[in-house]
Amino acid sequence: MKALFFHTVRMLVRQRDVLVWVIAFPLVLATLFHVMFANFDEYYRADPVSCAVVADENYHATRATFFREMLAQVSAEGDDQLLDVREVANTDAARDLVLSGDAAAAITVDGEGLPSMDVSPLASDTLDQSIVRAVLDRYRQLYAEMKQVFLAQAGAADLQAPPTDAQLEAFAQTPGADQAVQTFMADAVGTQQVDVLRVASSGTVRYYYALMGFAALVSITVAIHSVSAVRANTSAVGARRQVSGASTTCQLAVSMAASFAVVFACLLLAFAYMRLVLGVEFGGRDGLAVVAIAACALMSVGFGAVLGALPGMPVAGKVAWLRASPVCAPCSRACTASRPCSWRTGFRKPRRGRC
């Protein structure tokens, strides 16, 4: 039984389909991915957007305190920095920076503490302007929600009109302000980003996952060749092996085990090449990746065994159907002229003008 196992493994690795599609093709395609996506993450890394803020009385007023804190948070140096804020004295200076291209937008604050942006007419609706607009829209949305909650309090009856800084400071000392803050925070929904990976994930890893899935799919051909070689109604080799001393059950079990070993080894080779040679990070879960490879190999062998056991179709026809290629190979002109080839014999080499 041991000799039969190693003989089946040698037979499988010598198949042209296995050598090309299961062993060589994933390695070649992974190398092409590595060359194509070498600087992919650097190209799509967003730099902080430069913007000019008019630091006038409205900007330094008490009602704009939250806006100043928000700008300080989104412009803090780090990986999450969105804006590069430059404070200017007046609106004309801000517009000059925008027109010269040194700033994507000019931000001004009105009497109520709400920000607005001015852009250059020569460059509108750019990516940088969209980032600034998204930041300001988010602040205006939060401001509207907070204003609605605060004005609903009993002590804010005199704040229906745009209040002065003195009125806001007086209202902040009342119990209604604390109640309004508690009400607003009770209805707030917080979002926290949770990373289940041990290392930072790259945007190109998805292509390598797809490549491993494709490799598992084409590995079905291994089980097709293996099972067809032990079935008398699927191949001539299977008919000869049926009269051997080994039972059919033993031959089928050995074929399935050999197919799983070959498929698992090929997928593990592709994974090791991507991980160790190309340096692709699979989330720091290499052990679970190996388990997933074993599961994919098992599913591939099972599906290939079902296809390999189908009677009435040659092995080449099953492999061609799997690769979505024409089932009947082209025949020679002499063969076609004498007698058209059927799908059952079209894979045999032409001999004396016949299939």
Side-chain angles (χ1 to χ4, degrees):
M1 190 171 181
K2 181 179 179 180
L4 182 60
F5 174 81
F6 286 106
H7 169 74
T8 306
V9 171
R10 288 194 299 268
M11 178 197 69
L12 292 175
V13 298
R14 291 173 182 174
Q15 295 291 335
R16 183 180 303 175
D17 296 332
V18 177
L19 289 175
V20 174
W21 293 101
V22 182
I23 299 178
F25 188 76
L27 302 180
V28 174
L29 197 57
T31 305
L32 292 178
F33 284 171
H34 181 70
V35 175
M36 293 169 56
F37 306 131
N39 300 323
F40 184 85
D41 294 333
E42 296 181 1
Y43 291 151
Y44 286 89
R45 183 175 300 171
D47 296 328
V49 179
S50 177
C51 58
V53 179
V54 180
D56 53 5
E57 296 180 358
N58 294 331
Y59 177 75
H60 291 289
T62 305
R63 67 183 72 252
T65 302
F66 293 134
F67 178 68
R68 293 195 302 271
E69 294 178 354
M70 186 270 297
L71 282 184
Q73 183 178 0
V74 298
S75 60
E77 295 183 358
D79 297 336
D80 298 333
Q81 183 180 0
L82 294 178
L83 303 181
D84 183 12
V85 179
R86 180 190 300 184
E87 296 184 1
V88 294
N90 50 52
T91 306
D92 295 336
R95 291 179 178 176
D96 292 340
L97 292 176
V98 173
L99 294 177
S100 62
D102 295 334
I107 301 176
T108 57
V109 180
D110 59 10
E112 193 178 351
L114 293 177
S116 60
M117 58 179 290
D118 295 330
V119 298
S120 173
L122 302 179
S124 59
D125 293 335
T126 61
L127 179 60
D128 293 344
Q129 295 173 3
S130 300
I131 295 176
V132 179
R133 185 184 298 110
V135 173
L136 299 185
D137 289 344
R138 179 56 178 166
Y139 174 78
R140 294 176 71 95
Q141 179 183 359
L142 291 176
Y143 182 87
E145 294 176 0
M146 293 179 62
K147 181 180 178 181
Q148 183 178 2
V149 173
F150 273 75
L151 293 180
Q153 303 303 318
D158 298 334
L159 301 180
Q160 295 296 333
T164 62
D165 293 343
Q167 291 176 340
L168 290 176
E169 293 178 359
F171 176 72
Q173 303 300 326
T174 61
D178 296 336
Q179 184 178 359
V181 172
Q182 296 177 2
T183 303
F184 179 78
M185 296 304 297
D187 295 336
V189 178
T191 302
Q192 181 180 2
Q193 182 178 358
V194 179
D195 195 356
V196 298
L197 303 179
R198 296 178 179 176
V199 296
S201 179
S202 174
T204 60
V205 180
R206 68 187 69 178
Y207 300 103
Y208 295 97
Y209 279 113
L211 177 58
M212 292 298 297
F214 175 79
L217 180 63
V218 297
S219 299
I220 296 175
T221 57
V222 176
I224 292 178
H225 287 288
S226 178
V227 175
S228 299
V230 299
R231 299 281 297 175
N233 58 346
T234 55
S235 65
V237 177
R240 293 193 296 268
R241 293 181 65 173
Q242 289 297 321
V243 297
S244 63
S247 61
T248 304
T249 304
C250 178
Q251 293 185 31
L252 184 60
V254 171
S255 299
M256 296 289 291
S259 300
F260 176 80
V262 171
V263 173
F264 180 73
C266 293
L267 294 180
L268 192 61
L269 174 63
F271 173 77
Y273 177 74
M274 298 177 192
R275 181 67 184 88
L276 302 178
V277 178
L278 302 183
V280 180
E281 291 286 350
F282 290 89
R285 305 283 184 174
D286 296 339
L288 294 179
V290 174
V291 175
I293 289 174
C296 292
L298 184 62
M299 295 296 295
S300 176
V301 171
F303 189 68
V306 174
L307 291 179
L310 294 178
M313 182 182 293
V315 177
K318 299 173 183 177
V319 175
W321 176 81
L322 179 64
R323 294 202 304 260
S325 61
V327 178
C328 184
C331 303
S332 62
R333 294 183 179 180
C335 173
T336 305
S338 61
R339 177 175 58 86
C341 294
S342 64
W343 67 273
R344 296 177 180 273
T345 58
F347 293 95
R348 300 178 183 176
K349 297 182 179 179
R351 181 181 300 174
R352 295 182 183 179
R354 294 185 180 181
C355 295

